[in-house]
Amino acid sequence: MNAVVFDAIKALLDEGKTPTVALTKSKLTQTIPLPVIIAAVSQYKNNPESIHNLAKQPQQKVEAVNNSSQLDRLEAKLDRLLALLENK
Protein backbone atom coordinates (compact mmCIF):
# COMPACT_ATOMS: atom_id res chain seq x y z
CA MET A 1 0.00 0.00 0.00
CA ASN A 2 1.10 3.52 -0.68
CA ALA A 3 2.45 5.38 2.36
CA VAL A 4 0.16 8.36 1.73
CA VAL A 5 -2.93 6.11 1.72
CA PHE A 6 -1.62 4.35 4.82
CA ASP A 7 -1.30 7.72 6.58
CA ALA A 8 -4.83 8.72 5.57
CA ILE A 9 -6.33 5.49 6.91
CA LYS A 10 -4.30 5.82 10.09
CA ALA A 11 -5.53 9.43 10.55
CA LEU A 12 -9.13 8.29 10.17
CA LEU A 13 -8.63 5.53 12.71
CA ASP A 14 -7.04 8.02 15.12
CA GLU A 15 -10.16 10.17 14.77
CA GLY A 16 -12.32 7.15 15.59
CA LYS A 17 -13.78 6.98 12.08
CA THR A 18 -14.19 3.89 9.94
CA PRO A 19 -12.13 4.23 6.75
CA THR A 20 -14.18 4.36 3.56
CA VAL A 21 -12.98 5.18 0.07
CA ALA A 22 -14.50 8.67 0.21
CA LEU A 23 -13.17 9.49 3.68
CA THR A 24 -9.74 8.13 2.81
CA LYS A 25 -9.64 10.12 -0.41
CA SER A 26 -10.59 13.28 1.48
CA LYS A 27 -7.63 12.81 3.84
CA LEU A 28 -5.02 12.36 1.09
CA THR A 29 -2.30 14.97 0.75
CA GLN A 30 -1.55 14.12 -2.88
CA THR A 31 -3.32 12.63 -5.87
CA ILE A 32 -3.50 8.85 -5.69
CA PRO A 33 -5.23 6.65 -8.30
CA LEU A 34 -8.66 5.47 -7.16
CA PRO A 35 -7.81 1.75 -7.60
CA VAL A 36 -5.00 2.14 -5.04
CA ILE A 37 -7.39 3.76 -2.55
CA ILE A 38 -10.05 1.10 -3.11
CA ALA A 39 -7.51 -1.70 -2.68
CA ALA A 40 -6.21 -0.19 0.56
CA VAL A 41 -9.67 0.28 2.08
CA SER A 42 -10.69 -3.22 1.00
CA GLN A 43 -7.56 -4.66 2.53
CA TYR A 44 -8.28 -2.84 5.78
CA LYS A 45 -11.93 -3.95 5.85
CA ASN A 46 -10.98 -7.58 5.19
CA ASN A 47 -8.30 -7.56 7.86
CA PRO A 48 -8.25 -4.55 10.22
CA GLU A 49 -5.10 -5.88 11.87
CA SER A 50 -3.27 -5.53 8.54
CA ILE A 51 -2.91 -1.80 9.17
CA HIS A 52 -0.24 -2.60 11.76
CA ASN A 53 1.63 -4.86 9.33
CA LEU A 54 1.61 -2.28 6.55
CA ALA A 55 4.26 -0.14 8.17
CA LYS A 56 6.65 -3.07 7.89
CA GLN A 57 5.99 -3.72 4.17
CA PRO A 58 7.91 -1.93 1.42
CA GLN A 59 5.99 0.85 -0.32
CA GLN A 60 4.54 0.42 -3.76
CA LYS A 61 5.63 2.89 -6.37
CA VAL A 62 2.78 5.16 -7.33
CA GLU A 63 4.40 5.72 -10.71
CA ALA A 64 3.90 2.07 -11.65
CA VAL A 65 0.23 2.27 -10.71
CA ASN A 66 -0.16 5.56 -12.60
CA ASN A 67 1.43 4.03 -15.68
CA SER A 68 -0.78 0.95 -15.57
CA SER A 69 -3.95 2.98 -15.00
CA GLN A 70 -2.99 5.30 -17.85
CA LEU A 71 -2.41 2.27 -20.06
CA ASP A 72 -5.81 0.87 -19.06
CA ARG A 73 -7.49 4.15 -20.02
CA LEU A 74 -5.71 4.23 -23.38
CA GLU A 75 -6.69 0.63 -24.09
CA ALA A 76 -10.32 1.39 -23.25
CA LYS A 77 -10.31 4.38 -25.60
CA LEU A 78 -8.76 2.30 -28.35
CA ASP A 79 -11.39 -0.41 -27.86
CA ARG A 80 -14.17 2.20 -28.14
CA LEU A 81 -12.64 3.65 -31.29
CA LEU A 82 -12.29 0.22 -32.86
CA ALA A 83 -15.89 -0.61 -32.01
CA LEU A 84 -17.05 2.62 -33.63
CA LEU A 85 -15.03 1.88 -36.76
CA GLU A 86 -16.43 -1.65 -36.98
CA ASN A 87 -20.01 -0.34 -36.80
CA LYS A 88 -19.54 1.93 -39.83
Side-chain angles (χ1 to χ4, degrees):
M1 180 190 312
N2 183 280
V4 176
V5 179
F6 171 76
D7 292 341
I9 290 175
K10 192 104 169 93
L12 289 169
L13 292 173
D14 291 343
E15 294 174 7
K17 297 179 181 177
T18 302
T20 63
V21 173
L23 284 175
T24 302
K25 187 174 180 179
S26 72
K27 287 285 183 184
L28 294 174
T29 58
Q30 65 185 36
T31 304
I32 302 292
L34 193 57
V36 174
I37 301 168
I38 293 170
V41 172
S42 294
Q43 181 179 347
Y44 169 76
K45 286 185 176 183
N46 289 334
N47 184 10
E49 294 300 316
S50 69
I51 198 80
H52 302 293
N53 298 331
L54 293 175
K56 300 173 187 173
Q57 293 178 354
Q59 298 178 13
Q60 291 179 348
K61 291 189 177 184
V62 175
E63 295 168 7
V65 174
N66 283 338
N67 288 340
S68 67
S69 65
Q70 183 179 14
L71 180 60
D72 291 340
R73 286 192 307 270
L74 289 172
E75 287 177 339
K77 286 180 182 179
L78 181 59
D79 289 341
R80 285 193 302 262
L81 289 171
L82 288 173
L84 287 171
L85 287 173
E86 288 174 357
N87 290 333
K88 290 187 177 189

